[in-house]
Amino acid sequence: MQGRFHYYEGYDMKQVTFPVRVMHELGIKTLFVSNASGGMNPEFKIGELMIITDHINFFPEHPLRGKNFPTGPRFPDMHEPYDHALIALADKIAAEKNIRVKHGVYVGVQGPTFETPAEYKMYRILGGDAVGMSTVPEVIVARHSGIRVFGISVITDLGGFDVPVEVSHEEVQEAANSAQPRMTEIFREIIKRS
């Protein structure tokens, strides 16, 4: 896919996650997700890649709310939302190709505003390393459907530190574009080897 439907654009969760339902019906077994996100881990730098190891869902609407789809149980287990074997393979590929990657927890929020300094700090205290306005709903529906998931966040801005950092959509796009070739290389190699 090129892009996605965002909750902040006014779509409901059924619409946001509809492409994943279609993927399931097409027989897709593995979903690769990527996003631009704000880093709040002090070890992160703009333009770095963060392999998503887990997430925290702050969306006000849950994508599985309502009638249960027969693709999975009413109360799906989420102990491994991001596939551990794919994460290990990505680490191996990154090391071979000298691509610097970090690991972290992604916090999914509705947007469309970027976070305040206090929000960044709160999400960090709660265990988040990066925050963004997508990904979590699609991952939940993928896991409910039995699709394994691998995800990468591109750290496009930083927040929650002592010195406030102003961010614009243009700067986020620029950072995402510069990191894309490294992310794409990891994705391609995972596909080749798995």
Side-chain angles (χ1 to χ4, degrees):
M1 290 177 50
Q2 290 187 335
R4 53 165 48 101
F5 301 108
H6 291 93
Y7 187 75
Y8 68 76
E9 294 175 289
Y11 297 104
D12 64 33
M13 281 299 175
K14 299 288 186 254
Q15 294 167 312
V16 168
T17 59
F18 180 73
V20 179
R21 297 284 183 204
V22 172
M23 289 176 200
H24 173 264
E25 294 302 316
L26 292 172
I28 300 298
K29 303 290 183 208
T30 305
L31 176 66
F32 290 76
V33 292
S34 64
N35 59 60
S37 63
M40 52 217 168
N41 184 322
E43 295 179 15
F44 289 0
K45 295 184 175 92
I46 290 175
E48 283 192 315
L49 301 177
M50 181 190 87
I51 294 173
I52 306 171
T53 57
D54 204 344
H55 68 234
I56 300 172
N57 183 8
F58 266 96
F59 283 90
E61 181 185 348
H62 198 282
L64 300 181
R65 181 177 175 267
K67 183 181 176 190
N68 187 45
F69 277 79
T71 59
R74 171 77 276 188
F75 303 104
D77 178 72
M78 291 293 290
H79 81 278
E80 190 180 330
Y82 302 87
D83 189 274
H84 294 175
L86 293 175
I87 291 170
L89 179 56
D91 285 336
K92 181 180 177 190
I93 291 164
E96 288 172 8
K97 301 199 173 276
N98 292 316
I99 298 172
R100 181 180 156 114
V101 294
K102 299 286 191 173
H103 283 199
V105 175
Y106 177 83
V107 179
V109 299
Q110 76 172 8
T113 55
F114 291 115
E115 291 66 36
T116 68
E119 288 169 338
Y120 271 123
K121 286 178 185 173
M122 175 189 71
Y123 296 140
R124 180 70 183 146
I125 289 167
L126 293 175
D129 295 291
V131 60
M133 305 170 201
S134 66
T135 304
V136 171
E138 297 101 314
V139 170
I140 290 171
V141 169
R143 296 303 303 129
H144 180 254
S145 302
I147 299 172
R148 63 186 191 154
V149 177
F150 175 76
I152 290 182
S153 292
V154 177
I155 305 302
T156 54
D157 57 282
L158 299 170
F161 308 117
D162 292 334
V163 179
V165 180
E166 196 171 320
V167 63
S168 71
H169 180 68
E170 291 74 22
E171 290 168 321
V172 166
Q173 285 295 119
E174 186 178 321
N177 291 341
S178 70
Q180 185 177 4
R182 288 175 282 132
M183 180 183 67
T184 302
E185 181 69 16
I186 292 171
F187 282 172
R188 281 191 182 131
E189 282 298 313
I190 291 174
I191 292 166
K192 278 184 197 172
R193 300 184 196 188
S194 58

